[in-house]
Amino acid sequence: MQYLKEQSEKYKEHEYAKEILRACGRLMFELIPDDKKRELERLIDNDAKGTEATIKEIRFNVFEGNIEKAYKLSETLVSKIEAAPMFENDAASEYFIFDNLFEQILYAYYNRPQKDLRRATIPYGEIFYMHGNLLFEMKRIPEARAYLEKALRWNPASCTIAFEYMRPFQVLCKFKKLI
């Protein structure tokens, strides 16, 4: 464990620091006692459950027509995940959050990635999709486009996200025709 900590410190400024630190972290996780692993997994699971509860609350408020409250919840969630980016692509891996195996196969078939495809454990695509959709409903079209584009980055094979991403362009085209 001490050796891995030293290597992490030694290579933190290296060109491949992100990859080295992630590899060291995975090895450290393997070395910690099982009770500490369970504790860490419990903390991660609790955070995931909190995120899922917030997503459900946003959906409920949208269903009830309370767009402003849904937006405030969404804005808080987006701020939280953007403040601490956890799954950035690196030289060895690309991170996505496909909704199903078909989307992952479709992406791999058309894009032929050279890096390992890894699953992000935070539902970035869904979070950015909902936020972009709420911004669209609030007539904040440029911001909606930006967040829907972020959603597509996390799940580029999602038809749902792709169709929603096109809506702001349709609105802008109709507006230009009116001028």
Side-chain angles (χ1 to χ4, degrees):
M1 188 69 86
Q2 184 58 36
Y3 173 76
L4 291 170
K5 287 179 185 176
E6 289 169 4
Q7 297 311 301
S8 294
E9 185 61 32
K10 178 179 176 181
Y11 290 101
K12 71 179 181 184
E13 301 298 325
H14 190 274
E15 174 184 359
Y16 294 108
K18 195 183 300 181
E19 294 83 353
I20 294 168
L21 295 176
R22 284 180 177 163
C24 287
R26 284 191 280 274
L27 291 170
M28 286 179 185
F29 182 78
E30 293 301 317
L31 293 173
I32 62 175
D34 287 343
D35 62 323
K36 298 290 183 191
K37 282 182 190 175
R38 284 190 295 276
E39 175 71 15
L40 182 59
E41 288 169 346
R42 187 184 61 75
L43 291 171
I44 292 169
D45 189 49
N46 285 346
D47 188 56
K49 286 179 180 174
T51 299
E52 186 57 38
T54 302
I55 290 170
K56 285 180 181 177
E57 190 174 353
I58 293 166
R59 282 190 203 128
F60 177 76
N61 279 287
V62 168
F63 176 76
E64 290 289 313
N66 194 345
I67 301 301
E68 193 62 40
K69 184 171 183 185
Y71 172 75
K72 286 178 183 172
L73 290 165
S74 178
E75 185 176 40
T76 300
L77 183 57
V78 165
S79 295
K80 175 186 167 190
I81 65 171
E82 287 184 327
M86 300 222 2
F87 298 96
E88 295 178 350
N89 293 342
D90 57 40
S93 306
E94 290 182 62
Y95 292 88
F96 296 98
I97 188 86
F98 298 109
D99 292 334
N100 53 58
L101 182 59
F102 178 75
E103 289 178 349
Q104 184 173 345
I105 292 169
L106 191 65
Y107 175 81
Y109 179 80
Y110 282 106
N111 293 283
R112 307 275 189 231
Q114 302 301 307
K115 301 176 186 179
D116 292 336
L117 295 181
R118 294 189 182 266
R119 181 174 178 78
T121 57
I122 298 171
Y124 291 111
E126 182 177 10
I127 292 167
F128 290 135
Y129 165 78
M130 288 189 319
H131 194 64
N133 207 352
L134 288 165
L135 287 164
F136 183 84
E137 294 302 320
M138 298 168 74
K139 310 285 188 260
R140 294 166 59 180
I141 305 302
E143 291 171 273
R145 255 180 43 194
Y147 278 99
L148 292 168
E149 194 169 307
K150 287 181 182 190
L152 273 176
R153 177 269 175 256
W154 288 101
N155 188 351
S158 169
C159 288
T160 303
I161 295 171
F163 290 142
E164 192 66 23
Y165 179 68
M166 289 187 288
R167 282 178 65 198
F169 291 101
Q170 291 171 327
V171 169
L172 291 174
C173 285
K174 287 178 183 175
F175 178 73
K176 286 181 182 177
K177 288 180 183 177
L178 293 174
I179 296 177

